[in-house]
Amino acid sequence: MSTPLPPVPPDAATIDAFERDGYAIIRNAITPDLRELLLHAAQKLLASDITRGRDQGGDGKDGFRGCLNLDRAFLPLLANPAVLPTVVSLLSPNIHLLSAHLIALPSGPPRTIRIPERHGWHRDMYGVTTDLGSRHTPRMAIKAAYYLTPVTPDCGLTMFLPGSHRLTEEPAVPAGAIDPPGAVTPDLTSTDAVLFENRTSHAGGINLSGHPRIALMLQYGYRWLNPVDDPTTELRADPTLTRVEQQLLGMPDRRPDGSLAKGRGAAPIRSWHASASQ
């Protein structure tokens, strides 16, 4: 069993920005070397004929759900010590990974989405809003988005509507427009991560950079929420994983002998996160 890297204490300004806007930027969340490794693994996967978890959508989007199951190169992001403590502070230690989504947004003018008829603005976990309504939907999950290809003004970064996590109805997009008033594109570099919650309205930008925009988005949520990805049974059995990583991959509330131990499954992150404040 490996020892988890020490957590980076959450920055108060980052927490305040997230509470105010529904999203926040964590600077230098990954190193340039790790970014290159992640990009290489992503491009290799996208060029493959693998169909497990393949997620191909409108306007030529390509990608994979559950990419941790497909290449261990993505594993360093699972319990990223520069990011996870902030996620825990905004949710709780009682979390696991809901989804690891690789997204390749092609370059070129939009054809069917990000047009006035289909502007693409949405909240995540759409089923929750459908069932509970926008007024009663709580914060349940947070995504950490990393952009692996060059970050340029025209690469189509995810856009956000600040404060939309507090709205009780969908934001209005004026007729003939594709963005609601006040929408912004975050000022990111290629080593930053942007965090946003399930209630924050967002949309993919328009990529005119001349090459695909490749992003990795890891979504964390409470352990009583069902993961979107396929089970990570094989990966979770890897003896080199830290206990924190095992929790994020779905370790149950069990003692070593298999007997029930309520709350035990959240103990690794609870202990690890507590060390950040010592």
Side-chain angles (χ1 to χ4, degrees), residues 230-265:
D230 294 335
T232 56
T233 306
E234 295 178 6
L235 182 58
R236 197 171 68 216
D238 186 335
T240 66
L241 292 178
T242 68
R243 297 286 287 175
V244 168
E245 290 170 329
Q246 286 187 334
Q247 175 182 328
L248 292 172
L249 293 176
M251 181 174 63
D253 288 347
R254 296 291 186 273
R255 298 184 181 90
D257 64 359
S259 60
L260 185 66
K262 292 182 180 179
R264 183 185 180 93

Side-chain angles (χ1 to χ4, degrees), residues 99-258:
S99 178
H101 195 187
L102 171 64
I103 306 171
L105 178 68
S107 179
R111 300 185 298 275
T112 60
I113 56 175
R114 301 300 284 127
I115 58 175
E117 294 78 14
R118 293 184 63 200
H119 52 70
W121 283 87
H122 65 283
R123 283 177 161 181
D124 284 338
M125 303 179 70
Y126 65 92
V128 175
T129 302
T130 300
D131 292 341
L132 301 182
S134 296
R135 185 180 299 274
H136 303 294
T137 297
R139 178 186 298 166
M140 302 175 72
I142 291 174
K143 276 184 179 175
Y146 305 84
Y147 296 90
L148 307 183
T149 40
V151 173
T152 59
D154 59 353
C155 73
L157 292 177
T158 305
M159 300 178 66
F160 301 99
L161 182 62
S164 55
H165 60 308
R166 298 191 300 270
L167 296 179
T168 57
E169 57 186 19
E170 291 186 11
V173 177
I178 60 172
D179 299 320
V184 299
T185 299
D187 182 18
L188 300 177
T189 73
S190 58
T191 57
D192 297 336
V194 58
L195 306 184
F196 60 101
E197 63 154 280
N198 56 288
R199 298 176 298 177
T200 304
S201 292
H202 59 284
I206 297 175
N207 180 12
L208 299 175
S209 67
H211 57 77
R213 184 220 71 187
I214 300 177
L216 281 168
M217 298 195 180
L218 275 65
Q219 185 180 51
Y220 304 88
Y222 295 112
R223 292 174 64 241
W224 35 267
L225 291 171
N226 192 51
V228 176
D229 293 346
D230 294 335
T232 56
T233 306
E234 295 178 6
L235 182 58
R236 197 171 68 216
D238 186 335
T240 66
L241 292 178
T242 68
R243 297 286 287 175
V244 168
E245 290 170 329
Q246 286 187 334
Q247 175 182 328
L248 292 172
L249 293 176
M251 181 174 63
D253 288 347
R254 296 291 186 273
R255 298 184 181 90
D257 64 359

Side-chain angles (χ1 to χ4, degrees), residues 9 271 273-278:
S271 174
H273 187 255
S275 69
S277 58
Q278 295 177 355

